[in-house]
Amino acid sequence: MKKLARVLSVACVAAAPLLAPGTAAAQFAKPEDAIKYRQSVLTVMANHFGRIAPVVRGQQPYDPEQVKADVEIVAMMSKLPWSAFGQGTEGGAARPAVWSEGAKFKQAQERLQGDIAKLVAAAQSGDLAQVRTAYGAVGASCKACHDNFRNR
Ligand code: ASC
């Protein structure tokens, strides 16, 4: 029995790289760690996205360098949360649909990243009207994903 357990554990370690890269075990010691990681990343992302809101609403002067810096943080952060939604990490505010409708969840990520790429380009243009349009599209992407995949 002991020997079988050892053989199995060696086999599991050997097979680990073949598993989906997003599995909790690959990157996080515990499911709670994955939940904390994705929530932290999304919190930082929302914070920097939110800093641009008063600018696009005309409540704060447009400082192109500042907007660019915030958009770059949003873009970087937007790459990170998804691998922390691996199998076995159900919980937090995530709905079961994240796992039961994986293809749709993936589409929502891709929509967001496409919209963020446009926001990066708009921020680089230094044209507030372009930033405003692209900002609205990113916000709509955030909302669409939340409507489908996040508990209120
Ligand atoms: C934000 C933020 C979100 C989105 C979403 C858009 O600033 O933190 O989650 O915009 O509210 O509807």
Side-chain angles (χ1 to χ4, degrees), residues 46 49-50 135 139-140 142-143 146 150:
F49 187 65
Y135 189 84
C142 297
K143 181 174 189 309
H146 291 163
R150 185 178 71 167

Side-chain angles (χ1 to χ4, degrees), residues 1-11:
M1 252 345 258
K2 252 194 182 153
K3 184 159 184 221
L4 178 62
R6 199 162 56 236
V7 167
L8 282 178
S9 79
V10 169

Side-chain angles (χ1 to χ4, degrees), residues 98-152:
V98 166
W99 294 273
S100 64
E101 295 176 55
K104 201 174 155 195
F105 185 56
K106 178 99 180 131
Q107 262 180 15
Q109 295 163 32
E110 286 166 357
R111 170 180 165 181
L112 176 72
Q113 307 226 257
D115 285 336
I116 289 174
K118 290 180 194 155
L119 180 58
V120 169
Q124 283 168 351
S125 80
D127 175 0
L128 179 57
Q130 284 186 43
V131 171
R132 191 175 284 127
T133 301
Y135 189 84
V138 173
S141 269
C142 297
K143 181 174 189 309
C145 191
H146 291 163
D147 286 349
N148 290 314
F149 296 105
R150 185 178 71 167
N151 289 321
R152 348 198 128 255

Side-chain angles (χ1 to χ4, degrees), residues 51-62 128 131-132 135:
R51 291 181 198 198
I52 306 165
V55 177
V56 299
R57 291 190 196 124
Q59 298 160 343
Q60 212 168 277
Y62 177 39
L128 179 57
V131 171
R132 191 175 284 127
Y135 189 84

Side-chain angles (χ1 to χ4, degrees), residues 58-81:
Q59 298 160 343
Q60 212 168 277
Y62 177 39
D63 174 347
E65 288 309 313
Q66 187 57 58
V67 167
K68 237 192 287 180
D70 286 319
V71 164
E72 279 167 16
I73 292 168
V74 169
M76 182 177 65
M77 289 294 146
S78 74
K79 298 175 188 165
L80 302 179

